[in-house]
Amino acid sequence: GRADAAKQLQPRAAPTADGLEAIRQAESEGLTLATSSSSSSGYKGVTYYPKEKGSKKYTLKVTVGGKMVTLGYFATAEQAALFYARRE
C-alpha cells in the first residue's frame, strides 16, 4: 500500500562507525555489498527489526534448497551485508 511505497522512498540512514568499517572491509577484500530496493535495510537478505532486544537488530536470511535460513544477527546492516558478500 501507500505506507510501503513511502517506506521505500525514504533514504537509508547514514552508516554508523561500525557500518563504515564494514564497508571499508568489503572494499579491502574486493567485495561489493549487494543492495536491494525492496529490503528495509537497503541490502539483499538483510532485515531490520527495531523491536528486537539487544544491539543486534539486523537479521541476515537466505534461501537454501527452497528453505529460509537465518545466517546471523548483526549490529549494523553493513556488517550483515558484508557477511552475505563473503558467502557469495
Side-chain angles (χ1 to χ4, degrees), residues 10-73:
Q10 292 176 356
R12 194 166 64 235
T16 62
D18 289 337
L20 287 171
E21 179 56 33
I23 292 169
R24 281 192 290 273
Q25 187 63 39
E27 289 171 353
S28 73
E29 293 177 29
L31 299 172
T32 302
L33 302 183
T35 58
S36 169
S37 61
S38 62
S39 170
S40 62
S41 70
Y43 293 102
K44 188 173 181 180
V46 181
T47 305
Y48 177 61
Y49 293 99
K51 294 182 181 178
E52 191 68 35
K53 291 182 181 177
S55 61
K56 297 186 176 180
K57 296 184 183 295
Y58 294 89
T59 303
L60 177 59
K61 294 181 180 181
V62 296
T63 303
V64 178
K67 293 185 178 182
M68 188 63 73
V69 178
T70 300
L71 295 183
Y73 303 90

